[in-house]
Amino acid sequence: AQAIWARVSVLCRSSRPTPHTRGIGLPSLAITKFYSLLLLSPVTCSMSLSVSSASPHSADIMQLIHMFWSEAGTELVLLLLFCTGFVLFRLSSIRDLMGARPHKPSKSMKDPMASPPPTPTATPNAESARRPGLVQRGVARPDPQRQAPSAAHDLRLRGLLETRAAEEAWQALVDLSSAGIAISAATAAAVIELFARESGVGAQVLRRLPSGALSVDIVAHLLQRAAAGCDLDLVREVCCCVKDFSMVLPASGCEAVLKACASTGDGGAVEIFEEFVACGFEPQESTLTALISLCADSKHVHLAEHAIAYSRKACGRVLLPLYAALMKVYGHARLWHKTFDLYEAMKKEGVPLDTVAYGALIKAAVESGRPELARELFQESGNPDLLNYMSLIRAAGRERDLPKALHLLEELERSPLAVDATTYNCALEACVACGEHAAAERLFQRMSEQGRIDVVSYNTYLKVLLASGAHSQASATLREMTKRGFPPNVVTYNSLIRDAVARQDMDRAWSIVQAMDRACVRPDAFTCSILVKGVRHNPGAADIDRIIELIRSAEIVPDEVLVNCLLDACVRLRDPLRLTQVLEQFRAKGVVPSLHAYATLIRAYGHARRCDDAWELWREVQSSGRDLATSQHEEVFAAMVEACLAGGDLRGGLTVFRNAKEQLEAFPRAASIFAACVKACVQARQAQSAIDLYGETKDSFVCNKVTFNTLIDLLVRQGDMPRAGELFRDMALKNVAPDLITYSTLIKGHCSRGDLEQGLQLLGLMHRRGIKPDAVLFNSILDGCAHKQMRTLTEQVLRDMEAAGIAPSEFTISILVKLYGRCGDLDAAFRVVDAYPEKYGLQLNTQVFTCLMSACIANGALARALEVYQGMSSRGCAPDTRTYQTLLGGCIRAGDLQCTSQALRQALRSGCAGRLENDVVDTALLLLARRGAADMAAPLLEELLAGGVRISDRAVAAVRRGAASPGAESGRETPTPASWRRSPGGQRGSPGRFGSAESLGESVASWRSGGRD
């Protein structure tokens, strides 16, 4: 002590005065050591003071004592008070442990499985005690038969808990409870929780406790432990047991339940809160603040807002801590607009803002892209702290305003605030965001000179170097950070791996992973996500297996990003078995796939036609208790419908869509999913299923125009025009404007049914809405007019078509030919065929010639039909099956054997005979056989059979029977009519026109002159 005092005296004389020593020149270090000596060794201090009293420096000693008291008197008193309180607390704990205070068990101590709980005595709170799950207002009377807690047994149970001996601890607890030995509630709750987890039976173990062993204190501690571990399932099971036992839930238990619901984001938290309040639970401001703060991580905005509303209703006002906690919740949920609304409400209520609230508002302004508001709040705060400066620096970096960010840093350096490395890192991040390599290098050098640098600074600077391609400088920076005592961490290696993956150098990426292993740096989920993204575009089974092995060896708990990336890579491999194995490995690690991962898996199983696996995952999502009205659930819903449709389970896909009727209003993509269902129904030829599905779900969403047109076309094809009209009216009611396809489909349907008036009304409605009809629409109206033989109206529509600048097509000509043929005006039909190709530059097709031949045959002009047949070759058009079918029908109707025989032979030579209708061929052969033309029918039959034409047994028997009859002529050469032979010039008549009817009549007469009975 004398040596210490001598040293202090020397320092007092030799040191210059400082503010800490108040003029006597004693450095703070010496004062600190002397204080420690006084506090830790009072005897030594007394000796030093007694020795110093005899010294000639007694005045200095007294001055030192006064200085000591003025400097550390308050701290010393507080220290003594703290020590006194701690000692009293420990003494109280020892008394509880040794049994000095009697145990106060709950009123409901009897076994609920053995007998019902006893009826409580008539107290003012008796009615509340009868109701299960209510808040405890009084203290249960102690049971005199129960013993005080035994310290030895309590310590024994704690030892078993430390060794995780669940079975032994549980059995000991049961034995002690049966023997009437009380155990502290905290220890009993710990034993129950451990056994519930290890045995897997949950809170049902409460029912196995002996009668009277369960108390409300144990329930409260058990709920608090479950809430601390975010074990919502255990909390729910304990609450159910409390209700079954008709126990009274204490206020601490209610707080634990609400905190568990808040931290896990349980959807029924608001209802539980209301139930507790209705039963008498009155949460204090501190409880509400803690509850709202827990809602931040789980983003449980509804519960936080409900707690604020309760505080306003119960107290008439909301204090600043509650507002600050709600701002935190809005910040985590990224609801910046609600943060600003809350700020306006606080200003109206006159609630003053503190630094934390201003910081939350400035962050919200920065994140929402309102830098001007952020600067305004920064100035309004008056005394901004370091976090506010950092928020503004980040805002300047996002605006790519590097001068502003550096100006804020300089302003902060001039302020009295202590600038740390984190603030400099924000400015360095701004340089990275702006891509300013030179500015980042200058700032990094300044940070290095000032010693305001850490591993985050090096990692940020490495991003700049790697982004600019300065790999040699990046390697030098890595060596420098190691020399300065900042070894590379996992973030450093992840930056290097990301750079290698971006350059598609996977060998380099895996070599960095090996370097991490040598440096004893464990990869994380982000490392594996980068590797998976590197092989995503060209995945291989070996690459995926290597990444999975890295996850296993490094004991990485996959996060949502890694799970989604890995599952997406497995989907690209088109290997459902590997996909299932990866999913099972994740589940074994306790990883619950996100809804996006579920959607990916369901879609993959559907395209692999493994609908059973897709249905199993869908049922798992449905039973998970998640919110079914979120956008992520919409993704799963769309994936399930797609999986059913891709896997051929059309009925299942329609069932999924139909069952989600209540949620369709919240799904923005409901219309596109319904369109996919309609398309699948059309492809499966189940149009009625699509129409029925629309009728059941049409009030839940609005179809798009394409889907409406598809449904209208389905109804038109079915001939259900009334329902097609209803769909047309639904389009108008739902503000979906019909287009040309809609009108064309409806007009075509009405015209094909003969309802020409309705079609013309729709045409007029089109004109009024400014929709110009096209050739298809005009042809539909012309076809309807032709069916009704309304020649005048047809010609008027044709003139309107020409006036609208729409040129007639080959289909238009065929409609006009049909019209004039039905009207008996063959000359007009021939004029159209001759004039329109030259006028509009059309090339007539087989359909036009077939229609013209049909018109001639219908009007009894077979000769002109034969002339049309000859003219097809001159127009460069080859006859098809329909042409020969029409010609054969005309010849048979006219009873012309020669023409019938020649038409069949021509069809056989052109290869169309095999595609003719069997009835037509059989009728032709029967006609020849019955008319006695066996000499023509027999060889023709053999040629048809040799050509593979199917002929009925009846026709074959008739021809052969006619050929075997005595009157049959055989051996006669079948004459070939002159009109079926080409003229020396290649054709009859002039090019582009048909031959005259007179010459054709002469040639036909020459055919009929011989070989006919």
Side-chain angles (χ1 to χ4, degrees):
Q2 291 178 356
I4 293 174
W5 172 245
R7 180 61 179 166
V8 170
S9 300
V10 171
L11 290 174
C12 289
R13 294 189 182 92
S14 61
S15 301
R16 58 184 180 181
T18 62
H20 295 287
T21 56
R22 295 188 178 179
I24 64 173
L26 188 62
S28 59
L29 179 61
I31 293 176
T32 304
K33 292 182 178 179
F34 193 62
Y35 287 171
S36 302
L37 181 64
L38 292 176
L39 294 174
L40 299 178
S41 182
V43 177
T44 307
C45 294
S46 301
M47 291 174 61
S48 66
L49 291 177
S50 63
V51 171
S52 63
S53 63
S55 65
H57 305 288
S58 58
D60 293 340
I61 294 173
M62 294 303 297
Q63 186 179 4
L64 182 62
I65 292 174
H66 286 296
M67 180 199 67
F68 166 73
W69 179 255
S70 61
E71 287 288 338
T74 305
E75 288 81 356
L76 182 60
V77 171
L78 292 176
L79 179 62
L80 292 175
L81 291 175
F82 171 77
C83 294
T84 304
F86 180 75
V87 170
L88 292 176
F89 174 76
R90 293 299 299 170
L91 289 175
S92 176
S93 300
I94 293 173
R95 288 179 61 200
D96 292 343
L97 187 62
M98 298 303 295
R101 187 176 62 184
H103 181 63
K104 297 181 180 181
S106 173
K107 295 180 181 180
S108 55
M109 299 289 289
K110 294 188 178 181
D111 188 0
M113 302 300 292
S115 62
T119 304
T121 58
T123 62
N125 206 24
E127 183 61 27
S128 298
R130 292 191 189 99
R131 298 171 60 187
L134 302 188
V135 182
Q136 184 183 21
R137 284 299 179 186
V139 179
R141 296 181 180 179
D143 188 356
Q145 297 180 358
R146 303 286 293 179
Q147 300 294 328
S150 173
H153 295 297
D154 202 76
L155 290 175
R156 177 194 171 197
L157 288 178
R158 291 181 183 179
L160 294 174
L161 288 174
E162 291 179 359
T163 59
R164 308 292 295 178
E167 289 283 349
E168 189 175 352
W170 169 256
Q171 190 60 42
L173 177 63
V174 172
D175 294 341
L176 292 173
S177 300
S178 301
I181 302 175
I183 302 298
S184 65
T187 305
V191 172
I192 293 172
E193 182 193 21
L194 177 62
F195 184 72
R197 295 181 187 277
E198 296 294 333
S199 62
V201 297
Q204 297 300 320
V205 297
L206 297 177
R207 305 180 185 276
R208 302 182 184 179
L209 287 172
S211 175
L214 185 63
S215 65
V216 291
D217 293 334
I218 296 177
V219 170
H221 281 83
L222 186 58
L223 288 173
Q224 290 172 2
R225 295 181 66 88
C230 297
D231 192 349
L232 188 60
D233 294 335
L234 183 59
V235 170
R236 289 172 177 169
E237 292 176 0
V238 172
C239 291
C240 291
C241 291
V242 167
K243 290 184 179 181
D244 293 342
F245 295 163
S246 300
M247 296 180 64
V248 179
L249 192 64
S252 59
C254 295
E255 293 178 7
V257 172
L258 290 176
K259 289 180 180 179
C261 294
S263 58
T264 57
D266 183 58
V270 175
E271 289 76 9
I272 296 174
F273 186 93
E274 285 296 326
E275 181 182 354
F276 287 164
V277 170
C279 295
F281 177 59
E282 297 178 358
Q284 302 299 320
E285 178 190 352
S286 58
T287 303
L288 292 175
T289 304
L291 186 65
I292 296 174
S293 300
L294 289 174
C295 293
D297 293 333
S298 62
K299 302 176 184 179
H300 203 326
V301 179
H302 191 194
L303 178 59
E305 292 176 342
H306 191 79
I308 292 291
Y310 169 81
S311 177
R312 182 176 286 109
K313 180 180 179 181
C315 305
R317 58 191 176 88
V318 180
L319 300 179
L320 179 59
L322 293 175
Y323 275 127
L326 185 58
M327 282 186 180
K328 182 181 178 182
V329 175
Y330 286 155
H332 279 71
R334 305 187 68 83
L335 299 175
W336 313 122
H337 63 285
K338 288 196 172 186
T339 305
F340 299 135
D341 295 341
L342 191 63
Y343 171 57
E344 296 296 332
M346 293 173 67
K347 288 198 300 184
K348 290 181 180 179
E349 295 178 8
V351 179
L353 274 71
D354 59 358
T355 305
V356 177
Y358 273 114
L361 288 171
I362 292 173
K363 180 181 179 182
V366 171
E367 295 292 338
S368 60
R370 301 174 64 179
E372 295 297 331
L373 178 60
R375 285 188 279 271
E376 179 183 342
L377 291 169
F378 182 79
Q379 298 298 329
E380 183 183 332
S381 62
N383 187 23
D385 61 357
L386 199 60
L387 294 177
N388 295 344
Y389 272 105
M390 292 169 61
S391 297
L392 287 181
I393 292 174
R394 291 192 184 98
R398 293 184 180 183
E399 292 179 328
R400 298 187 177 276
D401 189 355
L402 185 59
K404 180 67 176 177
L406 297 179
H407 174 73
L408 287 169
L409 180 62
E410 294 173 359
E411 180 181 338
L412 182 58
E413 289 174 335
R414 292 191 298 268
S415 69
L417 297 175
V419 185
D420 56 2
T422 305
T423 309
Y424 281 104
N425 291 337
C426 290
L428 195 60
E429 284 283 356
C431 296
V432 174
C434 298
E436 295 289 342
H437 183 189
E441 187 173 0
R442 290 193 300 269
L443 179 60
F444 186 77
Q445 292 299 329
R446 193 172 76 182
M447 293 168 59
S448 180
E449 293 171 359
Q450 296 179 0
R452 306 290 176 81
I453 198 168
D454 56 9
V455 67
V456 178
S457 309
Y458 276 105
N459 291 338
T460 307
Y461 185 56
L462 277 175
K463 291 180 183 178
V464 179
L465 298 177
L466 294 174
S468 59
H471 296 93
S472 59
Q473 192 174 354
S475 301
T477 304
L478 283 173
R479 292 191 294 270
E480 178 187 347
M481 66 184 296
T482 305
K483 290 180 181 179
R484 296 192 62 172
F486 299 109
N489 57 12
V490 66
V491 178
T492 311
Y493 286 109
N494 286 342
S495 299
L496 298 174
I497 294 173
R498 188 191 301 107
D499 177 70
V501 168
R503 293 184 284 113
Q504 298 182 356
D505 189 356
M506 293 304 300
D507 295 335
R508 170 66 178 165
W510 282 109
S511 65
I512 297 172
V513 173
Q514 295 172 358
M516 293 177 67
D517 184 55
R518 291 192 297 270
C520 298
V521 178
R522 268 179 50 174
D524 58 2
F526 192 60
T527 309
C528 299
S529 299
I530 298 172
L531 293 173
V532 174
K533 291 178 181 178
V535 301
R536 180 175 56 185
H537 298 291
N538 189 19
D543 298 328
I544 302 299
D545 293 340
R546 191 173 183 182
I547 296 172
I548 294 175
E549 177 61 25
L550 177 63
I551 295 174
R552 187 196 61 77
S553 60
E555 298 180 353
I556 298 173
V557 178
D559 57 1
E560 182 177 350
V561 176
L562 177 57
V563 172
N564 293 337
C565 292
L566 199 55
L567 292 179
D568 183 66
C570 293
V571 169
R572 292 175 183 269
L573 283 176
R574 299 182 182 276
D575 189 353
L577 182 60
R578 187 181 303 275
L579 187 65
T580 305
Q581 292 175 351
V582 172
L583 179 62
E584 293 301 327
Q585 289 180 6
F586 285 161
R587 286 177 172 170
K589 293 189 176 213
V591 178
V592 179
S594 64
L595 290 178
H596 175 74
Y598 273 113
T600 303
L601 290 168
I602 290 173
R603 191 177 291 108
Y605 283 136
H607 287 280
R609 305 189 73 83
R610 295 178 59 173
C611 293
D612 293 340
D613 294 331
W615 275 109
E616 182 179 355
L617 290 176
W618 172 252
R619 285 189 288 268
E620 186 176 333
V621 172
Q622 294 293 100
S623 60
S624 63
R626 305 192 189 189
D627 189 4
L628 301 182
T630 60
S631 58
Q632 290 183 336
H633 181 75
E634 180 191 11
E635 183 182 6
V636 182
F637 165 71
M640 186 60 202
V641 175
E642 180 183 346
C644 291
L645 300 182
D649 189 5
L650 178 60
R651 180 180 298 178
L654 299 183
T655 302
V656 172
F657 191 89
R658 189 178 290 109
N659 293 339
K661 178 181 177 181
E662 302 299 331
Q663 290 83 35
L664 291 177
E665 294 182 0
F667 292 167
R669 293 188 296 167
S672 60
I673 301 172
F674 176 75
C677 293
V678 172
K679 181 179 179 181
C681 291
V682 172
Q683 293 175 348
R685 301 183 182 276
Q686 297 184 20
Q688 190 60 40
S689 299
I691 296 169
D692 294 341
L693 183 64
Y694 170 78
E696 296 176 15
T697 60
K698 65 179 181 179
D699 295 331
S700 301
F701 64 96
V702 178
C703 293
N704 54 33
K705 190 181 301 183
V706 176
T707 307
F708 269 118
N709 290 339
T710 304
L711 292 173
I712 290 174
D713 183 67
L714 291 176
L715 292 171
V716 168
R717 291 177 183 274
Q718 292 181 356
D720 194 351
M721 295 307 299
R723 293 189 65 182
E726 292 178 3
L727 276 178
F728 183 74
R729 287 188 290 272
D730 287 346
M731 293 181 70
L733 293 175
K734 295 185 178 182
N735 295 324
V736 179
D739 58 0
L740 180 61
I741 299 176
T742 312
Y743 284 105
S744 299
T745 305
L746 287 171
I747 291 174
K748 180 179 179 181
H750 286 298
C751 292
S752 62
R753 293 189 64 203
D755 192 358
L756 191 59
E757 181 180 357
Q758 188 67 28
L760 294 175
Q761 289 181 2
L762 288 173
L763 181 63
L765 182 61
M766 278 184 61
H767 283 295
R768 290 192 295 273
R769 293 190 175 181
I771 301 177
K772 295 182 179 180
D774 59 354
V776 176
L777 182 58
F778 275 114
N779 288 334
S780 298
I781 297 176
L782 289 173
D783 191 43
C785 297
H787 277 291
K788 287 210 162 191
Q789 301 182 14
M790 302 174 69
R791 180 170 180 171
T792 304
L793 182 58
T794 303
E795 293 174 350
Q796 178 62 42
V797 173
L798 186 62
R799 287 192 292 269
D800 293 341
M801 181 179 180
E802 295 176 353
I806 299 175
S809 62
E810 292 85 355
F811 187 64
T812 310
I813 298 176
S814 64
I815 292 173
L816 294 175
V817 169
K818 291 178 184 178
L819 171 66
Y820 293 129
R822 289 168 183 166
C823 295
D825 192 352
L826 291 180
D827 293 335
F830 276 91
R831 284 196 300 270
V832 170
V833 172
D834 288 337
Y836 273 61
E838 296 178 0
K839 183 177 181 180
Y840 297 103
L842 299 175
Q843 181 69 30
L844 298 180
N845 55 19
T846 305
Q847 182 183 4
V848 176
F849 287 111
T850 303
C851 290
L852 186 58
M853 292 171 57
S854 179
C856 294
I857 293 172
N859 287 275
L862 180 61
R864 302 191 74 174
L866 294 173
E867 180 67 19
V868 172
Y869 171 77
Q870 275 193 320
M872 292 178 66
S873 299
S874 64
R875 299 291 184 96
C877 184
D880 60 1
T881 304
R882 185 67 179 175
T883 306
Y884 287 112
Q885 191 122 344
T886 303
L887 183 59
L888 270 173
C891 295
I892 293 172
R893 185 183 303 175
D896 195 326
L897 303 183
Q898 289 286 348
C899 293
T900 302
S901 175
Q902 291 300 324
L904 269 176
R905 192 167 276 109
Q906 290 289 338
L908 182 62
R909 292 172 183 172
S910 64
C912 297
R915 296 189 295 271
L916 293 174
E917 294 181 3
N918 295 333
D919 293 343
V920 176
V921 178
D922 291 345
T923 304
L925 292 175
L926 289 173
L927 176 66
L928 294 175
R930 290 172 181 173
R931 294 291 182 89
D935 54 345
M936 290 187 291
L940 182 60
L941 174 63
E942 298 303 327
E943 293 179 16
L944 291 173
L945 292 175
V949 180
R950 296 181 60 183
I951 304 173
S952 65
D953 296 338
R954 176 167 167 257
V956 172
V959 172
R960 289 178 177 174
R961 187 170 53 252
S965 62
E969 299 182 12
S970 58
R972 180 183 297 181
E973 181 181 357
T974 304
T976 302
S979 61
W980 287 72
R981 297 192 299 266
R982 297 284 183 89
S983 61
Q987 62 194 33
R988 287 179 58 90
S990 59
R993 295 196 177 270
F994 298 109
S996 62
E998 292 78 4
S999 60
L1000 185 60
E1002 294 176 357
S1003 60
V1004 172
S1006 64
W1007 301 345
R1008 296 172 179 171
S1009 59
R1012 181 176 178 185
D1013 187 2

